């Protein structure tokens, strides 16, 4: 038996007849998702700010301007200010090389970029202890030349760079692969050199993806705990970042101060989420334009 097919008129789009689940299934899935978000996201977030402000604004402000807390905030900002530019340069260079050129070891480079995603941050911190510790490979030489890496800012920066270096590259690689290399090739044919091609053709096309990766990298750099905890030494006022300061205050039963510092990290997460959402919207708009 032949089925009649409704002809499609000029200018009309074919209608989609989606197979939908029963209404109760959709509502059940939505309820499960909302329950999960409420229990594991909204409730902890509200609890952080509630506990931080539980004893009033004066206690909250004093906890933030405490000497050790200010030192932790400054060290966190300094670490991010050093680690993010390094990862920005690496991410752009690695993405450019992987997407625009063919060379031996390309698959190995891709694997190494994903390494921090598969290795525990604590293990990565232990690697630096094995390298730069007193009994490590370079420990005696460093001690002889009075160079301090572990339990100091350099070790914290190195651990943070290792943990965060995939973020920029992993955002740019699929974006640059999707865009192809036709525009760059046309620029070269027209006489542009490498730097001109990058700044006038490639960079404008990847700017939102690049910013997206930088935002994620910065958020992870400020919130990193495991690797930094291993290499910092937990020296109060010197090598404690904000997450480590929260742990110390909480272990000392100074809950108000701990939640006050934690609220700053929560605010950072909310700002990051807002910027991330805006950039995703811009990426969607750019994709539609192209």
């Amino acid at each position: 038996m032949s089925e009649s097919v409704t002809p499609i008129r000029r200018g009309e789009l074919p209608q989609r007849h989606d197979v939908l689940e029963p209404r109760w299934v959709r509502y059940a899935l939505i309820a499960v998702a909302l329950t999960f978000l409420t229990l594991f996201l909204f409730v902890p977030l509200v609890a952080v700010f509630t506990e931080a402000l539980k004893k009033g604004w004066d206690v909250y402000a004093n906890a933030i301007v405490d000497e050790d807390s200010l030192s932790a905030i400054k060290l966190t900002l300094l670490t991010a200010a050093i680690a993010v530019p390094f990862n920005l340069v690496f991410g752009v260079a690695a993405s450019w090389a992987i997407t625009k050129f063919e060379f031996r070891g390309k698959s190995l480079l891709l694997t190494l970029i994903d390494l921090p995603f598969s290795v525990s941050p604590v293990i990565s911190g232990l690697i630096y202890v094995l390298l730069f510790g007193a009994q490590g490979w370079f420990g005696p030489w460093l001690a002889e030349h009075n160079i301090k890496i572990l339990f100091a800012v350099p070790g914290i920066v190195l651990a943070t760079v290792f943990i965060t270096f995939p973020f920029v590259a992993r955002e740019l690689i699929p974006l640059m692969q999707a865009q192809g290399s036709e525009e760059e090739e046309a620029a070269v044919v027209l006489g542009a050199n490498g730097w001109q091609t990058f700044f006038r053709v490639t960079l404008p096309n990847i700017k939102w993806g690049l910013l997206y990766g930088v935002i994620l990298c910065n958020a992870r750099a400020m919130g990193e705990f495991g690797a930094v905890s291993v290499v910092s030494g937990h020296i109060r006022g010197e090598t404690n970042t904000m997450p480590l300061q929260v742990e110390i205050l909480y272990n000392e039963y100074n809950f108000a101060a701990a939640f006050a510092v934690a609220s700053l990290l929560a605010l950072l997460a909310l700002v990051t989420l807002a910027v991330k959402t805006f950039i995703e919207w811009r990426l969607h708009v750019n994709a539609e334009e192209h």
Side-chain angles (χ1 to χ4, degrees):
M1 180 182 295
S2 62
E3 297 181 357
S4 61
V5 178
T6 303
I8 300 175
R9 296 179 181 178
R10 184 183 298 274
E12 291 183 350
L13 294 176
Q15 295 182 354
R16 291 183 55 191
H17 298 281
D18 294 331
V19 179
L20 299 177
E21 296 291 342
R23 182 173 297 180
W24 70 269
V25 174
R26 285 179 280 160
Y27 288 161
L29 292 175
I30 293 173
V32 170
L34 291 177
T35 302
F36 182 87
L37 289 175
T38 300
L39 292 177
F40 295 99
L41 180 61
F42 298 131
V43 171
L45 192 61
V46 171
V48 167
F49 287 99
T50 301
E51 291 294 329
L53 299 172
K54 190 174 183 179
K55 295 184 178 181
W57 284 100
D58 292 337
V59 175
Y60 180 87
N62 290 333
I64 298 298
V65 299
D66 177 74
E67 184 177 354
D68 291 340
S69 297
L70 287 177
S71 175
I73 294 171
K74 291 177 182 178
L75 179 57
T76 301
L77 295 176
L78 175 63
T79 302
I82 297 174
V84 173
F86 271 109
N87 289 325
L88 171 64
V89 174
F90 169 79
V92 173
S95 303
W96 178 277
I98 290 171
T99 58
K100 307 300 180 181
F101 302 97
E102 294 293 333
F103 55 91
R104 290 184 178 180
K106 184 175 180 178
S107 59
L108 177 61
L109 178 58
L110 281 168
T111 301
L112 292 177
I113 289 175
D114 289 335
L115 185 61
F117 289 147
S118 57
V119 175
S120 169
V122 175
I123 299 302
S124 65
L126 287 175
I127 292 173
Y128 285 105
V129 173
L130 293 175
L131 289 176
F132 305 117
Q135 307 300 322
W137 291 1
F138 306 110
W141 184 88
L142 292 172
E144 182 180 347
H145 293 79
N146 197 26
I147 300 175
K148 198 169 185 180
I149 293 189
L150 285 184
F151 312 139
V153 175
I156 296 173
V157 172
L158 285 174
T160 304
V161 169
F162 177 82
I163 291 299
T164 57
F165 78 76
F167 287 94
V168 175
R170 268 303 167 194
E171 289 300 323
L172 291 182
I173 290 172
L175 177 61
M176 296 175 72
Q177 285 176 335
Q179 291 176 348
S181 58
E182 290 81 4
E183 294 185 18
E184 284 85 357
E185 292 172 357
V188 172
V189 171
L190 293 175
N193 59 35
W195 289 112
Q196 290 174 330
T197 302
F198 175 76
F199 284 108
R200 296 186 181 183
V201 178
T202 304
L203 187 58
N205 289 335
I206 66 171
K207 60 182 179 181
W208 291 109
L210 179 61
L211 183 58
Y212 185 83
V214 168
I215 291 296
L216 294 180
C217 178
N218 181 70
R220 179 63 188 273
M222 289 189 175
E224 174 54 31
F225 178 84
V228 172
S229 177
V230 174
V231 301
S232 70
H234 294 270
I235 304 174
R236 299 190 71 147
E238 295 185 20
T239 63
N240 278 337
T241 58
M242 291 172 65
L244 301 183
Q245 181 69 8
V246 171
E247 181 197 30
I248 288 178
L249 292 173
Y250 192 85
N251 289 337
E252 294 176 346
Y253 301 100
N254 191 354
F255 300 128
F259 280 104
V261 179
S263 68
L264 295 181
L265 289 172
L267 285 173
L268 169 66
L270 293 175
V271 172
T272 302
L273 181 62
V275 176
K276 174 177 172 289
T277 303
F278 172 75
I279 295 175
E280 286 177 339
W281 172 74
R282 287 297 310 176
L283 286 170
H284 179 70
V285 171
N286 287 349
E288 289 184 342
E289 291 177 351
H290 289 80

